[in-house]
Amino acid sequence: MTAAPERTDRHTDGDVLEDVLEVAREQVLERGEGLTEEQVLRVLQLPDERVSDLLALAHEVRMRWCGPEVEVEGIVSLKTGGCPEDCHFCSQSGQFPSPVRSAWLDVPGLVRAARQTAETGATEFCIVAAVRGPDARLLSQVREGIAAIRADGNDIQIACSLGMLTQAQVDELVEMGVHRYNHNLETARSHFPQVVTTHSWEERWDTLRMVRDAGMEVCCGGIIGMGETLEQRAEFAVQLASLSPDEVPMNFLIPNPGTPYENYPVVEGPDALRAVGAFRLALPRTILRFAGGRELTFGDLGAKQGMLGGINAIIVGNYLTNLGRPAAQDLEMLDDLKMPIKALSQTL
């Protein structure tokens, strides 16, 4: 009997390469070393018929290096809309004619949102504000809100996403007991100037460095589908890996009305799944969280494929200005997939 031919990849110039998933099996699954930028690009270029192989390997990597548990998080917007920055994907920018208007959530509303989040079984509650960076009023309200959440008997872990920080603000958040700080790099460094012009990628990086050095966990991800090339998606994955984040939220562009990206196409399901698998192979030990846009991009079936393709965390309920799925539906999905939810006691 003739042996089956060894599976290989090919560059467009005809050079034969060793199969990238076989390389990943030894490099990532066995040794826990993330893929290089060139290797991530080859994963992103895999044909549709190999996506199931990619997702199966990514799931093995997740189980090997992260375990079976899924971290569940809820988010709430403390300050919505009116942001001075021009992030082209964001309906909260005051520079675009989106329907979102500026609004503040009061402290009792924050306490209710935290209580409702904890009741879903979530271990993380993230307080978000649409600002360039926090002023004294905002930090005071965050401090008051955290104190009120604790006074309510809620011991859920509290994260914040308040834009770019100074060292003094980082220190203040640590003193408040903030567990994790989210500040997304959004996209590859080479693509960032096409997405945002009012601040730089480097300014975001500096905030993340200070957060890491202060001992808070780092949550940093971005959005797939903002006109970046596959090469830039690979660049982004490896730049994130170099930061060694504790968590990477994977968002998929929602073409929000009134933003410069309102007519951008939704990311196709196979491309989104390739991105999920590729990011897992680039970040084998990191919490990889399904975030905004997954409902639009994947639907129910695709979401399950993603959860079985390397994702090990999920945001439940609504997002900042977009509706998500009811939390009960996501919790039912996790139950169907026999994926245990990380217990709060294990995060404290």
Side-chain angles (χ1 to χ4, degrees), residues 115-244:
R115 188 186 307 139
Q116 290 164 0
T117 298
E119 287 170 355
T120 70
T123 58
E124 292 280 334
F125 178 66
C126 188
I127 301 170
V128 183
V131 291
R132 176 183 175 89
D135 58 14
R137 174 194 177 191
L138 177 57
L139 283 177
S140 176
Q141 192 157 5
V142 170
R143 178 183 292 276
E144 185 180 351
I146 291 174
I149 290 168
R150 296 302 182 223
D152 191 49
N154 191 342
D155 58 0
I156 194 168
Q157 294 278 32
I158 294 177
C160 284
S161 181
L162 311 173
M164 292 175 286
L165 302 174
T166 66
Q167 184 62 60
Q169 290 168 338
V170 169
D171 295 342
E172 188 171 354
L173 291 172
V174 170
E175 188 270 328
M176 289 181 202
V178 173
H179 159 68
R180 182 181 294 167
Y181 194 78
N182 164 256
H183 193 50
N184 290 335
L185 288 170
E186 305 300 6
T187 192
R189 186 175 185 175
S190 67
H191 188 54
F192 192 86
Q194 280 68 58
V195 179
V196 183
T197 69
T198 48
H199 60 268
S200 69
W201 192 92
E202 289 76 14
E203 287 176 282
R204 290 184 178 235
W205 184 272
D206 287 344
T207 287
L208 293 162
R209 176 185 52 77
M210 288 188 289
V211 166
R212 166 67 73 204
D213 290 348
M216 278 189 284
E217 289 191 1
V218 171
C219 171
C220 179
I223 303 173
I224 303 298
M226 297 193 294
E228 74 280 0
T229 64
L230 291 184
E231 287 80 4
Q232 287 168 326
R233 285 183 195 174
E235 176 195 346
F236 184 40
V238 172
Q239 286 167 343
L240 286 172
S242 72
L243 183 65
S244 299

Side-chain angles (χ1 to χ4, degrees), residues 46-63:
L46 287 170
D48 287 355
E49 60 267 23
R50 299 219 60 201
V51 169
S52 60
D53 295 336
L54 165 62
L55 297 179
L57 176 58
H59 182 65
E60 287 187 72
V61 168
R62 168 262 176 107
M63 294 294 288

Side-chain angles (χ1 to χ4, degrees), residues 5 9 30 35 40 44 48 64 75 83 109-110 114 145 152 162 190 209 221 224 230 245 261 306 308 326 335:
D9 294 333
E30 299 302 327
L35 295 185
V40 173
L44 292 169
D48 287 355
R64 170 75 181 272
I75 61 176
C83 182
L110 197 62
D152 191 49
L162 311 173
S190 67
R209 176 185 52 77
I224 303 298
L230 291 184
Y261 291 166
L308 292 171
D335 186 58

